[in-house]
Amino acid sequence: MTLIPAAPVEAVETVGRFAKDSRGFGTKAVQAGAPHDPVTGAVIEPITLSTTFAQTSVGYPVGLYEYTRSSNPNRDNFEHALAALENARYALAFSSGLAATSVVLQALAAGGHLISVSDLYGGTHRYFTKVAKTHGITASFTTALAKDLRGMLEERKDTKLVWIETPGNPTLGLVDIRAVADVAHEFGVLLLVDNTFLSPYAQNPLEHGADIVLHSVTKYINGHSDVLMGALAFNSAELNDKLSYLQNAIGCVPSPFDCWLAHRGLKTLHLRARQASENALAIATALEASPNVVAVNYPGLDSHPHRAIAVKQHRKGLGGGMVSFRIRGGQAAALKFCEATRIFTLAESLGGVESLCEVPASMTHAGIPREDRERSGVFDDLIRLSVGIEETEDLVEDVLGALQRAADAVGLKPAAEKVEGSGSVTPDSGVEV
């Protein structure tokens, strides 16, 4: 568990906020949780693989550690760094994003109800609908959370948690975090924001009223597609007691090596996230102008229906590195596109330095019933791009070339009109309360 020492800084509005590290993001990314080795002077921390630590007498360990499931130097340093980047007092690392999800639900929602956006990761939806019920948890979903939340909370008095992904996965609709937090807190309900799609660089949900931030560290934070890991960040000491207890008691912790790798990746997050956003905006702009595209979802575009939320909520209004779009020619064209790219790799996951493409309806979201998927805008012709940090011009050329090859493969005739706007984002998902 990580506790950032208090320092005299200006007050922050968010309820429960503690003092934060006031240095710039890049400085915190490189410096936070990175002490020099007191014995050797090593600038980069060693990997502490030992599972157990010596004691001078019973109950008196030589240092801070007794058993690596309970705590480990590499995990502590990573947690400290992540807390700094999320402007949080505490952070906890887990063996995966779904492990973090499991701990949150067992600790905070057992025997109760949760309300969630419908546009979310397929694995989270599966956990809510198939696994959470073993802990007496029921879930309801909405495509317009900010608009529907008050009525849903009035109807379900047993609600213990509100869960949002913003941007949504995969249609990239945005939710006004502050508006949702205000309503949830009025009913005494906690708000969790899955910040995986943007990373701490582009968005800090705690600053907008969220109680807990969740990450699949596997994605942008690690950034190199070689670590499976999750994390939570928050400000409440009470939450820390509950969540850290289960982190240890259940044992769903990452290895020291994974923590070391993720901490190394985190140090370049600001550089990677900026480049990915720049590349994604160029690709989204090109897609929006293509006659082979039905609709583009990217919150960095002025045409995005929730662009105002992005400007208010994201660092410098960045759209992030994720883009989704509906291709002319239906599912057949979507599948052909993903087979026709030469730089983008057809694969699940996201947030790495390399560019990936997938068809959510057939891959990451295949387990969600078609009716539910399509209600959230996840149609068979939707393609999701995780835009990496390769050269912008090469990526744009690859996408446009694959579009044309897909059109040729399914026998499409040239379209008469170009796409206008980002038409497949779920209506009203970010409307303010």
Side-chain angles (χ1 to χ4, degrees):
M1 65 190 73
T2 300
L3 175 63
I4 294 182
V9 295
E10 60 182 328
V12 180
E13 293 182 359
T14 307
V15 175
R17 282 284 286 116
F18 288 78
K20 65 178 182 178
D21 188 334
S22 61
R23 297 176 294 177
F25 189 95
T27 303
K28 290 189 290 186
V30 174
Q31 298 289 333
H36 299 163
D37 188 283
V39 176
T40 67
V43 174
I44 301 301
E45 65 174 321
I47 304 171
T48 304
L49 295 176
S50 181
T51 58
T52 191
F53 299 85
Q55 302 184 22
T56 55
S57 59
V58 176
Y60 290 90
V62 172
L64 300 174
Y65 303 97
E66 296 181 24
Y67 190 62
T68 200
R69 170 169 47 78
S70 300
S71 58
N72 173 279
N74 298 114
R75 190 163 87 235
D76 280 0
N77 288 337
F78 171 78
E79 289 174 345
H80 184 107
L82 179 59
L85 297 190
E86 278 291 7
N87 296 327
R89 189 166 173 84
Y90 303 96
L92 297 172
F94 297 87
S95 53
S96 69
L98 283 172
T101 297
S102 173
V103 165
V104 167
L105 295 190
Q106 289 187 52
L108 306 178
H113 186 71
L114 73 85
I115 296 172
S116 171
V117 293
S118 56
D119 186 18
L120 80 169
Y121 169 50
T124 304
H125 185 278
R126 178 180 62 234
Y127 197 96
F128 287 172
T129 57
K130 305 294 184 182
V131 183
K133 59 187 177 183
T134 63
H135 301 289
I137 301 169
T138 56
S140 57
F141 303 88
T142 174
T143 60
L145 181 67
K147 179 181 177 182
D148 296 343
L149 182 58
R150 183 177 298 277
M152 297 176 78
L153 288 170
E154 288 173 346
E155 181 179 344
R156 293 300 303 257
K157 302 295 185 182
D158 58 339
T159 300
K160 296 184 177 182
L161 185 66
V162 174
W163 188 290
I164 63 179
E165 289 189 24
T166 180
N169 180 3
T171 62
L172 300 169
L174 303 184
V175 177
D176 187 321
I177 297 172
R178 175 62 67 181
V180 171
D182 287 347
V183 175
H185 293 162
E186 182 182 331
F187 286 80
V189 175
L190 295 172
L191 171 63
L192 181 147
V193 176
D194 185 334
N195 200 28
T196 298
F197 257 40
L198 283 181
S199 85
Y201 178 72
Q203 179 174 260
N204 294 125
L206 298 179
E207 299 291 333
H208 300 282
D211 299 292
I212 305 171
V213 178
L214 180 144
H215 285 281
S216 172
V217 175
T218 307
K219 313 306 193 296
Y220 282 105
I221 291 174
N222 177 60
H224 293 79
S225 301
D226 54 10
V227 166
L228 182 67
M229 194 166 159
L232 301 171
F234 46 90
N235 288 314
S236 165
E238 181 181 356
L239 284 177
N240 185 60
D241 289 343
K242 292 179 179 180
L243 297 171
S244 63
Y245 177 82
L246 286 183
Q247 179 198 41
N248 178 55
I250 296 174
C252 48
V253 295
S255 73
F257 186 40
D258 280 349
C259 291
W260 187 90
L261 283 172
H263 194 177
R264 182 179 67 168
L266 176 151
K267 293 179 181 182
T268 59
L269 175 59
H270 56 300
L271 306 177
R272 293 183 285 104
R274 278 201 300 259
Q275 186 60 49
S277 289
E278 179 181 319
N279 288 346
L281 177 59
I283 289 170
T285 301
L287 287 169
E288 199 171 40
S290 172
N292 292 318
V293 173
V294 176
V296 182
N297 304 319
Y298 184 65
L301 290 173
D302 289 339
S303 57
H304 191 282
H306 310 147
R307 177 61 183 156
I309 296 176
V311 171
K312 177 176 68 173
Q313 209 160 266
H314 301 177
R315 181 188 300 270
K316 298 180 180 179
L318 290 173
M322 301 300 296
V323 179
S324 67
F325 66 97
R326 296 183 64 187
I327 190 171
R328 284 185 66 234
Q331 183 182 42
L335 299 178
K336 288 294 183 182
F337 172 90
C338 291
E339 295 168 2
T341 54
R342 294 168 180 169
I343 296 177
F344 281 81
T345 298
L346 173 58
E348 296 187 3
S349 198
L350 59 106
V353 293
E354 69 287 326
S355 294
L356 305 177
C357 61
E358 65 126 355
V359 181
S362 302
M363 297 171 69
T364 54
H365 292 65
I368 301 176
R370 175 186 290 272
E371 182 179 348
D372 294 339
R373 276 195 288 105
E374 294 188 347
R375 189 181 301 117
S376 299
V378 185
F379 297 95
D380 290 343
D381 59 1
L382 183 74
I383 295 168
R384 190 186 77 179
L385 303 178
S386 173
V387 181
I389 63 171
E390 301 93 341
E391 291 296 333
T392 307
E393 296 79 6
D394 293 336
L395 293 176
V396 171
E397 180 181 355
D398 189 38
V399 167
L400 295 180
L403 277 174
Q404 189 56 57
R405 288 188 286 276
D408 293 343
V410 299
L412 278 182
K413 296 180 180 179
E417 298 180 3
K418 295 180 180 179
V419 63
E420 293 184 5
S422 306
S424 71
V425 171
T426 305
D428 299 327
S429 61
V431 175
E432 294 192 15
V433 176

